[in-house]
Amino acid sequence: MSRLYGDPIEVWTRDGQPVQFVWRDRLYAVRQVLDRWVVAREWWKTSEGDPGERRFWRVEADPGDGRGTYELRFDTAGEGWLLMRAWD
């Protein structure tokens, strides 16, 4: 079962992929990228240079006490990351 959050997170990337993130004051190390996809919509564009994309990653990550599955989203308009979903 999954839960929706939409919480802002801080993410570190390497080669364009998340490698760790902080959510609710805990550091999560990304162990594996399970899936990646992009959703693009014209109305999400905020400028000519903005592709109007939301980039998603489903990752397996470990906060130090066991692994979990998380869905992360990067929004090109605001250049911010959100933790969208977590699986139990």
Side-chain angles (χ1 to χ4, degrees):
M1 184 164 137
S2 69
R3 294 186 182 173
L4 294 174
Y5 292 98
D7 292 346
I9 57 174
E10 187 173 354
V11 177
W12 288 264
T13 62
R14 183 178 304 125
D15 299 325
Q17 294 197 68
V19 293
Q20 62 184 15
F21 61 93
V22 173
W23 178 45
R24 297 185 174 176
D25 297 324
R26 293 185 75 185
L27 179 64
Y28 292 75
V30 174
R31 301 298 182 200
Q32 182 178 2
V33 174
L34 303 172
D35 198 6
R36 181 180 186 277
W37 65 98
V38 176
V39 178
R41 300 287 185 263
E42 188 67 28
W43 63 84
W44 288 340
K45 289 184 175 187
T46 58
S47 69
E48 190 61 37
D50 177 17
E53 293 179 348
R54 291 183 178 169
R55 300 173 185 164
F56 293 85
W57 284 264
R58 184 165 296 144
V59 301
E60 185 177 87
D62 186 351
D65 60 359
R67 292 183 183 195
T69 301
Y70 305 89
E71 185 175 291
L72 313 179
R73 183 184 95 190
F74 178 75
D75 188 343
T76 60
E79 296 189 4
W81 287 87
L82 298 174
L83 187 135
M84 299 303 296
R85 185 182 304 258
W87 280 263
D88 294 338

